[in-house]
């Protein structure tokens, strides 16, 4: 156990001790020698000003009069916690389309400095944490910063929004509710004041964003989930029905472990295939994901969604019935 971790563990032991803790027990808990226990106790008492009392015969503890007022100064993390934090930081840094790079740069430097201190000067191979972003979209840093700030400051936000489906540009005034990271892209869930309804906005389609002085109207989390997360996909809406998809036995090994929706229902069929049922509103995103499995997936219900899938497959096949242009 490294020294920083021993100090953290020693503080935890003394904080929770109702009676003096003997040196042999501290040796066992900290996995170190008797001399190291005394050095760490001295460091905790003399350098960090901890209220350590006791002696080598009776044991050591924190002074009950002062223990509740003492906390370790600064950020104290174990190596495992730091490594986990580093992995999470790399995930955010590399999956944000570069938009978080500047904001997270100081944090990265502090984490690496803490890791260097733990490692005693040995270089930490940060490059061994590999994050592969998939189909990310370009994101304007200024827009993301305005959106994130408005969400956390609980202020209304006004911005221009160009819908991807229609390419129409509109001016929106909203009360931001939450920022969602979905499939390597960012979305803003907000109450649209002009339309008097909840909407989800792709942050990469937001421009000319400006935070207002007006306080944002809060929508209960239950209502947000009911309207925005009860059906399949990011732009889900209230469920209009349930889709049933049957996957081949080969694909079943993957699909059975996948999380498609919080309310999904799945079961293995006698022949090894896997049946998955999902609530949906708009079938566009669901169809895209089902067709991703090709011949290993078949929509069996409802008939309208099955027909949409058949039409899309027919159009795709027609592209290969003619010579490429």
């Amino acid at each position: 156990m490294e020294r920083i971790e021993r100090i953290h563990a020693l503080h935890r032991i003394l904080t929770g001790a109702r009676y003096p803790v003997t040196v042999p027990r501290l040796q066992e808990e900290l996995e170190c020698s008797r001399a190291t226990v005394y050095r760490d106790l001295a460091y905790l008492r003399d350098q960090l000003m901890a209220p350590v009392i006791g002696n080598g015969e009776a044991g050591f503890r924190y002074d009950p009069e002062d223990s509740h007022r003492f906390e370790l100064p600064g950020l104290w993390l174990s190596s495992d916690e730091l490594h986990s934090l580093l992995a999470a930081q790399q995930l955010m840094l590399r999956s944000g389309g570069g938009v978080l790079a500047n904001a997270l740069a100081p944090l990265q430097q502090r984490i690496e400095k803490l890791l260097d201190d733990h490692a005693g000067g040995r270089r930490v191979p940060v490059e061994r944490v590999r994050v592969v972003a998939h189909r990310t979209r370009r994101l304007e840093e200024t827009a993301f910063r305005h959106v994130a700030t408005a969400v956390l400051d609980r202020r209304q936000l006004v911005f221009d929004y160009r819908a991807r489906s229609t390419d129409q540009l509109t001016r929106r005034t909203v009360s931001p509710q939450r920022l969602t990271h979905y499939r390597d892209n960012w979305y803003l869930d907000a109450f649209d004041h002009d339309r008097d309804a909840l909407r989800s906005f792709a942050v990469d389609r937001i421009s000319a964003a400006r935070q207002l002085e007006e306080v944002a109207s809060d929508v209960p989390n239950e209502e947000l989930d009911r309207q925005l997360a009860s059906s399949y996909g990011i732009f889900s809406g209230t469920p209009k029905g349930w889709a049933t998809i049957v996957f081949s036995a080969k694909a079943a090994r993957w699909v059975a472990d996948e999380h498609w929706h919080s309310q999904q229902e799945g079961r293995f069929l006698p022949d090894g295939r896997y049946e998955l049922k999902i609530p949906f509103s708009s079938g566009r995103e669901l169809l895209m994901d089902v067709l991703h499995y090709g011949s290993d997936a078949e929509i069996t219900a409802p008939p309208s969604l099955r027909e949409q899938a058949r039409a899309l497959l027919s159009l795709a096949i027609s592209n290969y019935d003619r010579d490429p242009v």
Side-chain angles (χ1 to χ4, degrees):
M1 188 182 297
E2 299 171 358
R3 187 182 190 189
I4 291 180
E5 294 180 72
R6 289 200 315 272
I7 295 296
H8 188 277
L10 179 59
H11 169 68
R12 186 174 62 250
I13 293 168
L14 297 181
T15 299
R18 298 179 59 186
Y19 303 100
V21 184
T22 64
V23 172
R25 179 189 160 190
L26 290 175
Q27 286 182 249
E28 181 181 354
E29 293 276 353
L30 302 177
E31 301 176 352
C32 64
S33 68
R34 184 181 183 88
T36 298
V37 168
Y38 279 108
R39 282 196 298 268
D40 288 346
L41 284 166
Y43 179 82
L44 193 60
R45 180 191 61 213
D46 300 334
Q47 301 297 320
L48 303 180
M49 307 304 291
V52 179
I53 59 174
N55 55 64
E57 296 298 326
F60 295 89
R61 65 177 297 192
Y62 279 161
D63 187 338
E65 299 294 327
D66 296 323
S67 61
H68 66 283
R69 292 195 293 265
F70 175 74
E71 290 291 342
L72 286 178
L75 180 64
W76 291 79
L77 298 172
S78 68
S79 292
D80 288 345
E81 291 168 334
L82 276 172
H83 292 153
S84 299
L85 181 59
L86 175 65
Q89 181 259 354
Q90 290 294 308
L91 174 62
M92 291 291 291
L93 183 66
R94 301 181 189 184
S95 65
V99 70
L100 302 178
N102 293 334
L104 291 178
L107 176 61
Q108 180 179 0
Q109 294 170 5
R110 295 186 65 182
I111 294 175
E112 292 177 355
K113 176 63 168 60
L114 288 169
L115 284 170
D116 286 341
D117 292 342
H118 274 244
R122 177 175 55 84
R123 180 182 175 275
V124 178
V126 178
E127 70 279 358
R128 291 191 176 274
V129 179
R130 183 169 180 254
V131 178
V132 181
H134 177 63
R135 299 176 66 180
T136 56
R137 299 196 289 261
R138 287 186 299 175
L139 193 61
E140 183 187 354
E141 183 175 350
T142 302
F144 179 85
R145 188 167 61 247
H146 282 306
V147 168
T149 300
V151 169
L152 298 177
D153 284 352
R154 308 307 304 127
R155 298 290 178 182
Q156 292 185 24
L157 188 69
V158 60
F159 54 82
D160 291 334
Y161 189 72
R162 187 175 295 279
R164 194 176 300 276
S165 57
T166 63
D167 202 37
Q168 181 181 5
L169 183 67
T170 56
R171 190 70 169 168
R172 304 294 185 95
T173 301
V174 305
S175 283
Q177 302 300 315
R178 57 192 180 188
L179 195 59
T180 301
H181 190 253
Y182 177 74
R183 299 193 180 195
D184 282 344
N185 293 291
W186 290 97
Y187 297 88
L188 170 66
D189 294 337
F191 181 81
D192 191 321
H193 290 280
D194 296 324
R195 289 155 180 77
D196 193 30
L198 288 170
R199 293 288 187 270
S200 286
F201 302 93
V203 177
D204 64 291
R205 307 299 287 178
I206 290 176
S207 61
R210 179 170 57 89
Q211 184 174 318
L212 303 177
E213 292 298 323
E214 288 80 1
V215 175
S217 302
D218 286 336
V219 178
N221 286 330
E222 296 77 11
E223 182 67 12
L224 290 174
D225 290 338
R226 187 181 70 82
Q227 295 200 39
L228 299 177
S230 56
S231 295
Y232 187 83
I234 188 65
F235 303 107
S236 54
T238 304
K240 297 178 180 177
W242 284 73
T244 302
I245 309 107
V246 176
F247 295 88
S248 69
K250 181 179 69 174
R253 297 192 296 269
W254 302 93
V255 179
D257 293 330
E258 292 179 349
H259 177 81
W260 288 53
H261 191 270
S262 60
Q263 299 178 37
Q264 70 184 45
E265 298 176 4
R267 67 185 181 103
F268 279 97
L269 301 178
D271 59 2
R273 293 181 300 162
Y274 189 78
E275 180 186 80
L276 182 66
K277 294 185 177 182
I278 302 172
F280 77 101
S281 176
S282 171
R284 182 177 59 181
E285 192 173 351
L286 179 57
L287 285 168
M288 176 182 67
D289 288 338
V290 172
L291 295 180
H292 166 77
Y293 279 90
S295 61
D296 287 314
E298 177 188 0
I299 295 174
T300 59
S304 58
L305 190 64
R306 180 180 174 88
E307 179 58 28
Q308 290 181 53
R310 191 198 64 78
L312 288 174
L313 289 170
S314 296
L315 287 172
I317 291 174
S318 68
N319 290 333
Y320 295 91
D321 289 336
R322 62 176 183 270
D323 294 332
V325 294

